[in-house]
Amino acid sequence: MSHPVKTLSQFIVEHEASFPYAKGELSRLLSDIGTASKIINREVNKAGLVNILGDTGDTNIQGEEVKKLDIYANEQLIAALTSGGECCVMGSEENEHIIEVSSKGLHGANYVVLFDPLDGSSNIDVNASIGTIFSIYRRKTAGHGPGTLEDCLQKGIDQVAAGYVIYGSSTILVYTTGNGVNGFTLDPSIGEFCLSHPNIQTPKMSNIYSLNEGNAAHFPEGVKNYISWCKEVNKEDGRPYTSRYIGSFVADFHRNLLKGGIFIYPPTAKAPNGKLRLVYEVNPLAFVAEQAGGRASNGKDRALEIEPLTLHQRTPLFIGSEDMVKQAEKLMLMAETGQPVLNM
Protein backbone atom coordinates (compact mmCIF):
# COMPACT_ATOMS: atom_id res chain seq x y z
CA MET A 1 0.00 0.00 0.00
CA SER A 2 1.39 3.40 -0.96
CA HIS A 3 1.54 6.11 1.67
CA PRO A 4 0.17 9.61 1.03
CA VAL A 5 2.80 12.11 -0.13
CA LYS A 6 3.47 14.99 2.24
CA THR A 7 4.79 18.12 0.59
CA LEU A 8 7.11 20.69 2.13
CA SER A 9 4.30 23.24 2.30
CA GLN A 10 1.99 20.79 4.09
CA PHE A 11 4.75 19.79 6.50
CA ILE A 12 5.58 23.40 7.33
CA VAL A 13 1.94 24.26 8.05
CA GLU A 14 1.39 21.12 10.15
CA HIS A 15 4.46 21.85 12.27
CA GLU A 16 4.01 25.60 12.51
CA ALA A 17 3.06 25.40 16.19
CA SER A 18 6.48 23.94 17.01
CA PHE A 19 8.24 27.08 15.72
CA PRO A 20 9.48 29.49 18.39
CA TYR A 21 7.22 32.19 16.95
CA ALA A 22 4.12 30.52 15.46
CA LYS A 23 2.61 33.40 13.51
CA GLY A 24 3.00 32.02 9.99
CA GLU A 25 5.84 34.37 9.10
CA LEU A 26 8.58 31.75 9.40
CA SER A 27 6.41 29.29 7.46
CA ARG A 28 6.12 31.74 4.58
CA LEU A 29 9.83 32.51 4.72
CA LEU A 30 10.75 28.83 4.43
CA SER A 31 8.29 28.47 1.56
CA ASP A 32 9.95 31.43 -0.20
CA ILE A 33 13.35 29.73 0.10
CA GLY A 34 11.85 26.52 -1.24
CA THR A 35 10.42 28.39 -4.24
CA ALA A 36 13.74 30.09 -5.01
CA SER A 37 15.57 26.77 -4.81
CA LYS A 38 13.19 25.24 -7.38
CA ILE A 39 14.04 28.03 -9.79
CA ILE A 40 17.77 27.64 -9.11
CA ASN A 41 17.46 23.87 -9.59
CA ARG A 42 15.83 24.39 -12.98
CA GLU A 43 18.74 26.52 -14.16
CA VAL A 44 21.35 24.20 -12.66
CA ASN A 45 19.86 21.29 -14.60
CA LYS A 46 19.92 23.08 -17.93
CA ALA A 47 23.04 25.19 -17.38
CA GLY A 48 25.05 23.45 -20.08
CA LEU A 49 22.31 24.11 -22.62
CA VAL A 50 21.89 27.83 -22.08
CA ASN A 51 25.51 28.91 -21.82
CA ILE A 52 25.47 30.06 -18.21
CA LEU A 53 28.17 27.73 -17.00
CA GLY A 54 31.61 29.08 -16.27
CA ASP A 55 33.08 32.32 -14.98
CA THR A 56 31.91 35.90 -15.33
CA GLY A 57 35.44 37.22 -15.14
CA ASP A 58 34.64 38.95 -11.83
CA THR A 59 35.65 38.09 -8.27
CA ASN A 60 33.55 38.20 -5.11
CA ILE A 61 34.43 39.72 -1.73
CA GLN A 62 36.42 36.55 -0.93
CA GLY A 63 38.70 37.13 -3.93
CA GLU A 64 37.32 34.07 -5.69
CA GLU A 65 36.11 33.80 -9.27
CA VAL A 66 32.37 34.34 -9.55
CA LYS A 67 30.52 31.72 -11.58
CA LYS A 68 27.58 32.77 -13.71
CA LEU A 69 25.24 30.46 -11.82
CA ASP A 70 26.42 32.04 -8.55
CA ILE A 71 25.02 35.36 -9.68
CA TYR A 72 21.77 33.83 -10.90
CA ALA A 73 21.23 31.91 -7.64
CA ASN A 74 22.04 35.02 -5.62
CA GLU A 75 19.56 37.13 -7.57
CA GLN A 76 16.79 34.54 -7.22
CA LEU A 77 17.16 34.29 -3.45
CA ILE A 78 17.29 38.06 -3.01
CA ALA A 79 14.18 38.48 -5.18
CA ALA A 80 12.20 35.77 -3.38
CA LEU A 81 13.10 37.01 0.09
CA THR A 82 12.44 40.64 -0.82
CA SER A 83 9.02 40.01 -2.33
CA GLY A 84 7.98 37.66 0.48
CA GLY A 85 7.79 40.52 2.99
CA GLU A 86 9.05 38.56 6.03
CA CYS A 87 12.75 39.45 5.76
CA CYS A 88 14.16 42.77 6.98
CA VAL A 89 17.79 42.22 6.05
CA MET A 90 19.91 39.67 4.19
CA GLY A 91 23.53 38.72 3.96
CA SER A 92 24.96 36.80 1.02
CA GLU A 93 28.39 35.31 0.53
CA GLU A 94 28.39 37.01 -2.87
CA ASN A 95 27.74 40.52 -1.49
CA GLU A 96 30.28 42.59 0.40
CA HIS A 97 27.68 44.39 2.53
CA ILE A 98 24.29 43.56 4.02
CA ILE A 99 21.18 43.82 1.84
CA GLU A 100 18.57 45.98 3.55
CA VAL A 101 14.92 45.15 2.86
CA SER A 102 12.07 47.59 3.33
CA SER A 103 8.89 45.93 4.60
CA LYS A 104 6.07 45.98 2.05
CA GLY A 105 3.44 44.56 4.39
CA LEU A 106 1.35 46.05 7.17
CA HIS A 107 3.58 44.48 9.79
CA GLY A 108 7.27 44.91 10.41
CA ALA A 109 9.48 42.20 8.93
CA ASN A 110 11.08 40.25 11.77
CA TYR A 111 13.51 37.87 10.12
CA VAL A 112 17.13 37.91 9.04
CA VAL A 113 18.35 35.52 6.34
CA LEU A 114 21.99 34.73 5.61
CA PHE A 115 22.92 32.46 2.74
CA ASP A 116 25.51 30.97 0.45
CA PRO A 117 23.54 30.97 -2.82
CA LEU A 118 25.59 28.29 -4.56
CA ASP A 119 28.07 26.42 -2.39
CA GLY A 120 30.64 24.32 -4.24
CA SER A 121 30.34 26.37 -7.40
CA SER A 122 33.88 25.48 -8.47
CA ASN A 123 32.40 22.06 -9.25
CA ILE A 124 29.70 23.40 -11.59
CA ASP A 125 31.59 22.76 -14.80
CA VAL A 126 32.24 19.09 -13.94
CA ASN A 127 28.61 18.36 -12.97
CA ALA A 128 29.37 17.57 -9.31
CA SER A 129 26.78 18.21 -6.62
CA ILE A 130 26.42 21.79 -5.44
CA GLY A 131 23.99 23.45 -3.05
CA THR A 132 22.35 26.42 -1.37
CA ILE A 133 22.86 26.98 2.37
CA PHE A 134 20.62 29.25 4.46
CA SER A 135 20.36 30.51 8.01
CA ILE A 136 17.44 32.36 9.64
CA TYR A 137 17.39 34.58 12.75
CA ARG A 138 14.92 36.87 14.47
CA ARG A 139 15.93 40.51 14.20
CA LYS A 140 17.51 42.02 17.32
CA THR A 141 17.08 45.71 16.59
CA ALA A 142 13.87 47.55 17.38
CA GLY A 143 11.61 49.18 14.81
CA HIS A 144 9.84 48.23 11.62
CA GLY A 145 12.44 49.46 9.14
CA PRO A 146 15.22 47.52 7.44
CA GLY A 147 17.50 45.40 9.61
CA THR A 148 21.13 46.23 10.34
CA LEU A 149 24.56 44.62 10.46
CA GLU A 150 23.95 43.95 14.15
CA ASP A 151 21.02 41.73 13.20
CA CYS A 152 23.27 39.68 10.94
CA LEU A 153 26.11 39.21 13.43
CA GLN A 154 24.35 36.83 15.81
CA LYS A 155 25.76 33.63 17.24
CA GLY A 156 24.67 30.38 15.67
CA ILE A 157 22.84 29.37 18.86
CA ASP A 158 20.34 32.15 18.10
CA GLN A 159 19.21 30.64 14.78
CA VAL A 160 15.51 29.84 14.54
CA ALA A 161 15.90 27.79 11.36
CA ALA A 162 18.64 26.65 9.00
CA GLY A 163 19.18 24.22 6.20
CA TYR A 164 20.44 23.56 2.72
CA VAL A 165 19.39 22.41 -0.71
CA ILE A 166 21.63 19.97 -2.57
CA TYR A 167 21.38 19.83 -6.35
CA GLY A 168 22.60 16.38 -7.28
CA SER A 169 21.21 13.18 -8.78
CA SER A 170 18.05 14.36 -7.06
CA THR A 171 17.35 17.73 -5.46
CA ILE A 172 16.88 17.57 -1.70
CA LEU A 173 15.99 20.31 0.79
CA VAL A 174 17.01 19.62 4.41
CA TYR A 175 16.10 21.95 7.25
CA THR A 176 15.59 22.30 10.98
CA THR A 177 13.71 24.73 13.19
CA GLY A 178 15.31 23.34 16.35
CA ASN A 179 12.97 20.34 16.54
CA GLY A 180 14.86 17.71 14.57
CA VAL A 181 15.94 17.53 10.95
CA ASN A 182 13.80 16.58 7.95
CA GLY A 183 14.62 16.18 4.28
CA PHE A 184 12.41 16.72 1.22
CA THR A 185 13.14 15.48 -2.29
CA LEU A 186 11.93 17.50 -5.26
CA ASP A 187 9.47 15.53 -7.40
CA PRO A 188 9.83 17.14 -10.85
CA SER A 189 6.57 15.59 -12.04
CA ILE A 190 4.54 17.76 -9.65
CA GLY A 191 7.08 20.49 -8.92
CA GLU A 192 6.94 19.92 -5.16
CA PHE A 193 9.39 19.00 -2.42
CA CYS A 194 8.05 15.83 -0.78
CA LEU A 195 9.04 14.42 2.61
CA SER A 196 11.60 11.69 1.96
CA HIS A 197 13.94 11.76 4.97
CA PRO A 198 11.89 12.25 8.17
CA ASN A 199 13.67 12.82 11.48
CA ILE A 200 17.23 12.42 10.21
CA GLN A 201 19.65 11.08 12.81
CA THR A 202 23.33 10.99 11.95
CA PRO A 203 25.32 7.99 13.29
CA LYS A 204 27.42 8.73 16.37
CA MET A 205 30.33 6.89 14.76
CA SER A 206 31.28 5.99 11.20
CA ASN A 207 34.27 5.15 9.04
CA ILE A 208 34.35 8.16 6.67
CA TYR A 209 36.63 11.15 7.00
CA SER A 210 36.52 14.08 4.58
CA LEU A 211 39.20 16.70 4.06
CA ASN A 212 41.63 17.87 1.41
CA GLU A 213 44.73 15.85 2.21
CA GLY A 214 46.60 17.74 -0.48
CA ASN A 215 47.14 20.43 2.17
CA ALA A 216 48.35 17.95 4.80
CA ALA A 217 51.85 19.42 4.95
CA HIS A 218 50.32 22.67 6.20
CA PHE A 219 47.88 21.17 8.72
CA PRO A 220 48.26 21.67 12.49
CA GLU A 221 49.92 18.76 14.28
CA GLY A 222 46.63 17.67 15.84
CA VAL A 223 44.97 17.26 12.43
CA LYS A 224 47.97 15.33 11.11
CA ASN A 225 47.70 13.04 14.13
CA TYR A 226 43.99 12.53 13.54
CA ILE A 227 44.56 11.58 9.87
CA SER A 228 47.26 9.12 10.97
CA TRP A 229 44.86 7.69 13.56
CA CYS A 230 42.17 7.26 10.86
CA LYS A 231 44.64 5.31 8.71
CA GLU A 232 45.85 2.96 11.43
CA VAL A 233 44.79 -0.68 11.24
CA ASN A 234 42.52 -1.53 14.18
CA LYS A 235 39.95 -4.24 13.56
CA GLU A 236 38.15 -3.54 16.86
CA ASP A 237 36.91 -0.12 15.75
CA GLY A 238 36.96 -0.67 11.99
CA ARG A 239 40.06 1.28 11.10
CA PRO A 240 41.52 2.22 8.71
CA TYR A 241 38.70 4.56 7.77
CA THR A 242 37.61 5.50 4.26
CA SER A 243 38.54 8.88 2.79
CA ARG A 244 35.72 10.57 0.85
CA TYR A 245 36.14 14.16 -0.32
CA ILE A 246 34.09 15.84 -3.05
CA GLY A 247 35.30 19.39 -2.49
CA SER A 248 31.75 20.73 -2.30
CA PHE A 249 31.04 21.38 1.39
CA VAL A 250 27.29 20.86 1.15
CA ALA A 251 27.75 17.59 -0.75
CA ASP A 252 30.33 16.20 1.68
CA PHE A 253 28.18 17.30 4.61
CA HIS A 254 25.01 15.72 3.18
CA ARG A 255 26.68 12.36 2.63
CA ASN A 256 28.13 12.34 6.13
CA LEU A 257 24.84 13.48 7.67
CA LEU A 258 23.10 10.40 6.27
CA LYS A 259 25.89 7.84 6.48
CA GLY A 260 27.98 9.23 9.32
CA GLY A 261 31.47 10.67 9.12
CA ILE A 262 33.54 13.76 9.84
CA PHE A 263 34.27 16.74 7.61
CA ILE A 264 37.31 18.84 8.46
CA TYR A 265 38.46 22.16 7.09
CA PRO A 266 41.35 23.02 9.41
CA PRO A 267 43.51 26.10 9.62
CA THR A 268 46.50 26.01 7.30
CA ALA A 269 49.52 28.18 6.66
CA LYS A 270 47.68 29.82 3.74
CA ALA A 271 44.37 30.09 5.60
CA PRO A 272 45.10 30.36 9.34
CA ASN A 273 41.41 30.94 10.08
CA GLY A 274 40.25 28.18 7.78
CA LYS A 275 38.27 28.84 4.63
CA LEU A 276 34.61 28.34 5.49
CA ARG A 277 32.43 31.35 6.37
CA LEU A 278 31.00 31.35 9.88
CA VAL A 279 27.62 32.95 9.19
CA TYR A 280 26.95 31.60 5.69
CA GLU A 281 28.19 28.01 5.89
CA VAL A 282 29.33 26.94 9.34
CA ASN A 283 26.47 28.15 11.55
CA PRO A 284 23.60 26.75 9.46
CA LEU A 285 25.16 23.34 8.94
CA ALA A 286 26.36 23.17 12.55
CA PHE A 287 22.74 23.76 13.63
CA VAL A 288 21.56 20.96 11.32
CA ALA A 289 24.33 18.64 12.54
CA GLU A 290 23.53 19.17 16.21
CA GLN A 291 19.80 18.73 15.64
CA ALA A 292 20.58 15.39 13.96
CA GLY A 293 22.69 14.26 16.91
CA GLY A 294 26.05 15.33 15.52
CA ARG A 295 28.69 17.80 16.66
CA ALA A 296 30.46 20.86 15.22
CA SER A 297 33.41 22.85 16.52
CA ASN A 298 36.46 24.80 15.43
CA GLY A 299 38.60 22.05 16.92
CA LYS A 300 38.20 23.42 20.42
CA ASP A 301 35.04 25.48 20.87
CA ARG A 302 31.44 24.74 19.89
CA ALA A 303 30.85 26.30 16.48
CA LEU A 304 27.42 27.70 17.37
CA GLU A 305 28.89 29.72 20.24
CA ILE A 306 31.56 31.54 18.22
CA GLU A 307 30.96 35.30 18.22
CA PRO A 308 30.77 36.67 14.65
CA LEU A 309 32.62 39.97 14.37
CA THR A 310 32.44 40.52 10.63
CA LEU A 311 30.02 39.50 7.89
CA HIS A 312 32.55 37.36 6.02
CA GLN A 313 34.43 35.93 9.00
CA ARG A 314 36.05 32.53 8.50
CA THR A 315 36.60 29.71 10.95
CA PRO A 316 38.13 26.23 11.01
CA LEU A 317 35.54 23.46 11.19
CA PHE A 318 35.24 19.90 12.48
CA ILE A 319 31.69 18.65 11.86
CA GLY A 320 29.82 15.36 11.71
CA SER A 321 29.38 12.25 13.84
CA GLU A 322 29.71 13.13 17.52
CA ASP A 323 32.30 10.54 18.54
CA MET A 324 34.49 11.24 15.51
CA VAL A 325 34.52 14.99 16.16
CA LYS A 326 35.30 14.38 19.83
CA GLN A 327 38.26 12.19 18.87
CA ALA A 328 39.59 14.88 16.54
CA GLU A 329 39.18 17.51 19.27
CA LYS A 330 41.01 15.26 21.72
CA LEU A 331 43.99 14.89 19.40
CA MET A 332 43.99 18.63 18.70
CA LEU A 333 44.13 19.33 22.45
CA MET A 334 46.89 16.77 23.00
CA ALA A 335 49.01 18.33 20.27
CA GLU A 336 48.39 21.82 21.62
CA THR A 337 49.43 20.82 25.14
CA GLY A 338 52.38 18.74 23.99
CA GLN A 339 51.02 15.38 25.12
CA PRO A 340 52.49 12.37 23.29
CA VAL A 341 50.16 10.40 21.04
CA LEU A 342 50.55 6.78 22.13
CA ASN A 343 48.19 3.88 21.53
CA MET A 344 45.30 6.10 20.52
Side-chain angles (χ1 to χ4, degrees), residues 28 72 98 105 129 139 169 191 204 215 230 265 302 306 316:
R28 291 191 290 271
Y72 183 84
I98 62 171
S129 294
R139 71 181 296 165
S169 56
K204 290 179 67 68
N215 293 324
C230 289
Y265 205 109
R302 183 186 179 197
I306 298 173

Side-chain angles (χ1 to χ4, degrees), residues 33 36 40 72-82 90 115 117 132:
I33 292 172
I40 295 167
Y72 183 84
N74 197 42
E75 291 174 345
Q76 291 304 316
L77 281 162
I78 292 172
L81 294 169
T82 299
M90 291 175 253
F115 53 86
T132 296

Side-chain angles (χ1 to χ4, degrees), residues 210-264:
S210 311
L211 81 168
N212 184 0
E213 291 193 62
N215 293 324
H218 306 290
F219 288 164
E221 198 64 29
V223 175
K224 293 179 181 177
N225 292 342
Y226 182 72
I227 296 173
S228 296
W229 181 83
C230 289
K231 293 179 177 179
E232 288 177 359
V233 177
N234 187 317
K235 293 183 179 179
E236 291 184 5
D237 57 17
R239 286 182 286 148
Y241 291 161
T242 299
S243 176
R244 291 284 184 270
Y245 183 70
I246 299 170
S248 168
F249 179 33
V250 72
D252 279 307
F253 176 83
H254 181 70
R255 180 201 56 240
N256 290 0
L257 179 71
L258 299 182
K259 294 181 175 294
I262 183 173
F263 177 93
I264 302 174

